[in-house]
Amino acid sequence: DAKTTQPTSMDCAEGRAANLPCNHSTISGNEYVYWYRQIHSQGPQYIIHGLKNNETNEMASLIITEDRKSSTLILPHATLRDTAVYYCIVRRYPQGGSEKLVFGKGTKLTVNP
Amino acid sequence: NAGVMQNPRHLVRRRGQEARLRCSPMKGHSHVYWYRQLPEEGLKFMVYLQKENIIDESGMPKERFSAEFPKEGPSILRIQQVVRGDSAAYFCASSTTGLDTEAFFGQGTRLTVV
């Protein structure tokens, strides 16, 4: 089962920042927070991931709280093409290997003109 | 560097036939993951493979489904004696070994059983 809780849906105006929250209160020390999105049944697209520090790349920023129990994905200037289902996933790294991504229901983000 | 390649993109099979789905991981990636997405549903994990080894097949149906990732060539997801309920999108992802790596997905194979 997914270890995260996300709102079912959100709306955002085009050009504004989209802030997508995620709760992962049972996260453990060797688990990373990953974000993916799926645009209209295409293959899931990697966005960003982090352990405990805030991260930023060309797509988004990831803000992780100090206790690591929640995080927020920020799309700084949302466009219509950002309309998608966004998945927040915690992923464990056992010694010497990696682990599958377990997808929950995600947040359906709709960017409105 | 080409992304994860899946083929065919669309596959139509009659009930009882076999379906073979192929996944070529990104260059340098030795881990492959298969997922299934039924219409209007979420992504469900099926199997995780490394070269020549099945690491986690906890999501694979016990019958008719099998997967391999040989030393050379693509990973294959094989569905024998397909039924209408197998109609779905099948996605493959690949990643490298080690900590702090991301997995990249292909565009999927849409299987339709008629």
Side-chain angles (χ1 to χ4, degrees):
Chain A
D1 291 339
K3 303 176 184 177
T4 63
T5 304
Q6 298 178 253
T8 302
S9 63
M10 294 182 65
D11 284 87
C12 177
E14 187 178 19
R16 304 297 293 269
N19 298 286
L20 291 88
C22 179
N23 286 321
H24 30 80
S25 58
T26 61
I27 194 169
S28 58
N30 66 344
E31 288 182 319
Y32 285 71
V33 179
Y34 279 74
W35 284 84
Y36 281 77
R37 71 181 181 183
Q38 188 175 28
I39 299 172
H40 190 54
S41 299
Q42 295 179 20
Q45 180 185 22
Y46 166 79
I47 301 174
I48 199 167
H49 74 282
L51 183 61
K52 53 185 177 181
N53 297 320
N54 296 338
E55 302 287 344
T56 295
N57 63 21
E58 65 278 4
M59 287 184 69
S61 295
L62 173 61
I63 309 298
I64 303 175
T65 57
E66 192 169 343
D67 63 7
R68 303 213 317 128
K69 291 179 187 277
S70 65
S71 60
T72 301
L73 178 74
I74 301 172
L75 308 178
H77 305 287
T79 71
L80 299 179
R81 287 178 295 180
D82 291 322
T83 292
V85 179
Y86 287 76
Y87 297 97
C88 170
I89 301 165
V90 295
R91 187 186 191 196
R92 186 174 63 95
Y93 279 95
Q95 186 68 26
S98 62
E99 192 176 86
K100 60 184 179 283
L101 295 159
V102 178
F103 288 81
K105 296 186 184 301
T107 295
K108 169 66 176 173
L109 175 69
T110 302
V111 181
N112 300 304
Chain B
N1 187 11
V4 178
M5 304 300 293
Q6 290 189 249
N7 68 81
R9 293 292 306 276
H10 300 274
L11 182 62
V12 179
R13 285 287 178 267
R14 295 186 185 279
R15 282 177 294 171
Q17 291 184 319
E18 179 179 285
R20 281 186 177 235
L21 289 64
R22 295 175 187 77
C23 170
S24 296
M26 290 179 68
K27 186 176 181 181
H29 286 192
S30 58
H31 299 238
V32 165
Y33 311 81
W34 285 94
Y35 289 80
R36 176 166 66 175
Q37 188 169 35
L38 296 170
E40 306 303 322
E41 294 192 12
L43 289 141
K44 300 298 183 186
F45 168 77
M46 299 182 75
V47 63
Y48 163 31
L49 309 102
Q50 294 180 23
K51 286 284 187 181
E52 300 184 280
N53 286 306
I54 296 175
I55 306 302
D56 181 350
E57 56 181 348
S58 59
M60 285 279 272
K62 294 288 185 264
E63 297 178 349
R64 303 188 296 109
F65 286 72
S66 62
E68 63 177 11
F69 188 18
K71 187 177 180 181
E72 301 291 337
S75 175
I76 305 289
L77 179 67
R78 182 182 178 203
I79 311 172
Q80 296 178 289
Q81 300 174 331
V82 296
V83 300
R84 289 232 172 101
D86 297 332
S87 295
Y90 292 83
F91 294 99
C92 162
S94 74
S95 70
T96 58
T97 299
L99 298 176
D100 197 18
T101 61
E102 53 267 34
F104 296 96
F105 282 79
Q107 288 305 303
T109 294
R110 271 111 186 123
L111 172 66
T112 302
V113 180
V114 297

